[in-house]
Structure formats: C-alpha cells, structure tokens
Amino acid sequence: VSPLEPALVLEFVRGTQVNSKWILGFGPRKIGSASLDLPIWEPGAPATCFEIVPSSGGLIFKTSRPDIVLLNGEAVDSQVLRVGDTIRILDTLIEVDFTE
C-alpha cells in the first residue's frame, strides 16, 4: 500500500452513481462490480473494471476489459492518468481529477 499524493478524485458525471465523488488517498485500488470498497453499480459492469496503481511516473489506470472500460473514449489496457481524463463503463462516466 502506497499513499497517492496528490489524492485521486473520481467524480461520477453520468450513470447510476451520478453526483458521487470518490477521493482515493492510497493504492493500489481495484474498482468494479465485485468490489466491496469501490463498487460500480452499473448493470453489466465487470467484477473488476479497472485498477489504479501508483508508479514513479504517476497513477496508472489498468484494465483487462478495454472492450467495456474506455479511457477518453479509447480502448487502452494501461495509461498514466491526467487531469480531465474520462473513464467510461457502459453508461457510467467518471471524470479524473487530483486534490490540490
């Protein structure tokens, strides 16, 4: 477990969890329909939608389901997250930000 500095902010802007905001201060973290910690309520969402992994180059978004989980509208397996990135899981849309 490593601290995420600055903390990652995931804001739900569309879908069943709209108006929810998660602030993640440590990682790695797994997000998905089977997660007790960070559950995705979207019907049809994978058990693990994506993971957040700290690295020396920043926070890495990883998914084994790029067919369902899109980063900035594209199917990618892994990429460093930036402010303004969007994560789409079917009809759920999440915006990425960081605390100041």
Side-chain angles (χ1 to χ4, degrees):
V1 175
S2 300
L4 305 181
E5 296 177 4
L8 175 66
V9 178
L10 298 176
E11 184 172 358
F12 290 78
V13 295
R14 191 165 69 197
T16 57
Q17 290 164 272
V18 69
N19 297 326
S20 296
K21 184 186 292 189
W22 293 342
I23 300 173
L24 308 181
F26 66 91
R29 303 296 283 273
K30 289 186 179 185
I31 294 95
S33 64
S35 173
L36 298 177
D37 182 31
L38 299 167
I40 296 295
W41 301 338
E42 178 70 37
T48 298
C49 295
F50 63 95
E51 297 178 53
I52 302 297
V53 181
S55 75
S56 60
L59 297 181
I60 299 176
F61 162 92
K62 290 185 176 186
T63 184
S64 61
R65 297 299 308 269
D67 56 322
I68 294 176
V69 182
L70 304 176
L71 183 64
N72 299 321
E74 298 180 14
V76 297
D77 295 330
S78 177
Q79 186 170 311
V80 173
L81 287 174
R82 305 279 181 230
V83 171
D85 283 347
T86 59
I87 301 167
R88 179 181 299 280
I89 306 159
L90 302 169
D91 289 329
T92 293
L93 187 63
I94 304 167
E95 287 185 355
V96 172
D97 199 357
F98 295 91
T99 59
E100 295 183 17

